[in-house]
Amino acid sequence: MTVDLSDEKFEKHREAGEILAQVREEAAERVEVGVSHLEVAEFAEERIRELGGEPAFPVNISIDEEAAHATPEPGDDATFGEEMVNLDIGVHVDGWLADTAVTVDLSGHPELAEAPAEALDAALDIVEPGVHTGEIGAEIEDVIDGYGYNPVVNLSGHGLGHWEQHTDPNIPNRGVKQGVELEVGDVVAIEPFATDGGGKVNEGADEEIYALEREASVRNRAARDALEQIVEEFKTLPFARRWLDTQRAEMALRRLKQQNVVHGYPVLKEQDGYLVSQKEHTIIVTEDGCEVTTRA
């Protein structure tokens, strides 16, 4: 089957990636000791809009043992310390997505920050039509092992769909036999995670990111107002509690969760005392390799 990579949807993936590459670099430059998490998140989200896109999900700011799904709460006063900081940012243009991440090391562990970046480069070097996703995972695992660290094995890269942040195929961060072969036109995010811990993350207690599960009738006024905003603005993409206009957002989300209208994304964490680093690009598989849409 011939795939037209000049199709409008691919152009919008490219546009999202171009915006995202610029915002990632600008946001990373603002990560310094003493700077507010909320300030960086809101800067990046507003900058995306200024450049003609929309956030595909709340800016993730993961610290030290945190790996994913951490974003500032409303009025958050947390500031960066001498820590390992992962920025994970997404953009959509009319629902067509790009996803990227970078580690800013303020902790004094530069090699841990380098490991997933080099692993990502090695993975991108072998991407072409017909490459098996397990081979990509093996390449990632080999590089991270070579640094003396562990890949986070229960997090993976993923496909990007229309209004869907995570679709098939999964791109593992270790060598596995199961998987699929990539095809021309596949749009995927490859995101190695490295850690000096055991290599598995678990759900923490904190939860600030949510997504629509289904539409339903709700009786509570605040919950109904929140649901209207979610359906109209975010559709099926993840959103932050701080994005909701209702003054009773926490209560509204609790009601919506009770009715299985939305689901939450708990922060994913390694064991306390360990660090996690990350690097991610979005690619379009081409006839002779891949096009990296989020490369600056």
Side-chain angles (χ1 to χ4, degrees):
M1 182 180 70
T2 301
V3 177
D4 181 4
L5 295 181
S6 65
D7 185 89
E8 182 182 17
K9 72 175 183 179
F10 294 113
E11 290 304 320
K12 290 186 175 181
H13 277 301
R14 292 183 178 100
E15 184 180 348
E18 184 177 350
I19 292 167
L20 189 47
Q22 181 173 340
V23 173
R24 181 193 61 233
E25 299 305 297
E26 293 178 2
E29 289 176 356
R30 284 163 168 74
V31 176
E32 297 179 349
V33 173
V35 172
S36 159
H37 294 193
L38 184 59
E39 178 184 320
V40 171
E42 290 184 336
F43 164 80
E45 291 162 2
E46 184 56 35
R47 189 75 175 112
I48 289 167
R49 298 183 183 100
E50 289 175 358
L51 293 173
E54 288 290 336
F57 52 84
V59 171
N60 283 206
I61 298 179
S62 303
I63 304 297
D64 288 346
E65 74 276 6
E66 296 173 344
H69 303 163
T71 199
E73 64 182 21
D76 202 317
D77 61 359
T79 59
F80 297 110
E82 294 180 352
E83 301 159 325
M84 184 148 290
V85 181
N86 295 331
L87 293 179
D88 194 342
I89 311 173
V91 167
H92 78 85
V93 174
D94 296 335
W96 302 104
L97 285 79
D99 191 353
T100 192
V102 65
T103 294
V104 180
D105 177 43
L106 305 177
S107 70
H109 294 82
E111 287 197 349
L112 182 54
E114 291 168 9
E118 186 171 322
L120 178 57
D121 286 343
L124 296 176
D125 283 344
I126 68 165
V127 170
E128 62 182 0
V131 71
H132 193 274
T133 52
E135 294 178 51
I136 298 173
E139 197 75 19
I140 290 169
E141 182 177 27
D142 185 59
V143 171
I144 292 174
D145 282 351
Y147 272 85
Y149 300 118
N150 291 316
V152 176
V153 297
N154 58 339
L155 291 175
S156 63
H158 50 88
L160 294 166
H162 193 218
W163 296 106
E164 291 184 278
Q165 185 198 0
H166 286 135
T167 66
D168 292 333
N170 287 329
I171 311 293
N173 285 319
R174 61 171 173 168
V176 294
K177 292 183 179 179
Q178 65 269 32
V180 299
E181 293 182 354
L182 295 184
E183 300 177 354
V184 175
D186 283 344
V187 181
V188 297
I190 302 178
E191 52 178 326
F193 291 82
T195 180
D196 56 358
K200 285 192 175 182
V201 294
N202 296 293
E203 292 184 352
D206 296 332
E207 190 176 80
E208 286 291 333
I209 299 176
Y210 303 84
L212 181 68
E213 188 74 28
R214 64 186 182 93
E215 293 188 51
S217 297
V218 293
R219 296 179 63 184
N220 178 267
R221 176 62 182 273
R224 190 165 63 247
D225 290 346
L227 180 57
E228 288 177 2
Q229 182 184 359
I230 292 163
V231 171
E232 180 178 346
E233 291 188 29
F234 316 131
K235 297 181 172 60
T236 54
L237 294 176
F239 62 91
R241 176 164 64 101
R242 58 186 165 82
W243 288 2
L244 295 179
D245 294 335
T246 176
Q247 294 182 348
R248 306 183 69 189
E250 187 171 6
M251 183 276 291
L253 287 168
R254 187 165 60 248
R255 293 289 182 90
L256 293 174
K257 281 189 67 178
Q258 288 170 349
Q259 294 183 239
N260 297 316
V261 174
V262 303
H263 64 269
Y265 292 88
V267 175
L268 300 178
K269 305 169 67 174
E270 249 285 3
Q271 297 181 50
D272 289 348
Y274 294 103
L275 302 174
V276 178
S277 58
Q278 176 190 15
K279 188 68 185 288
E280 178 182 23
H281 275 311
T282 295
I283 66 166
I284 301 171
V285 180
T286 62
E287 291 183 0
D288 57 356
C290 69
E291 175 185 344
V292 182
T293 66
T294 51
R295 183 170 280 157

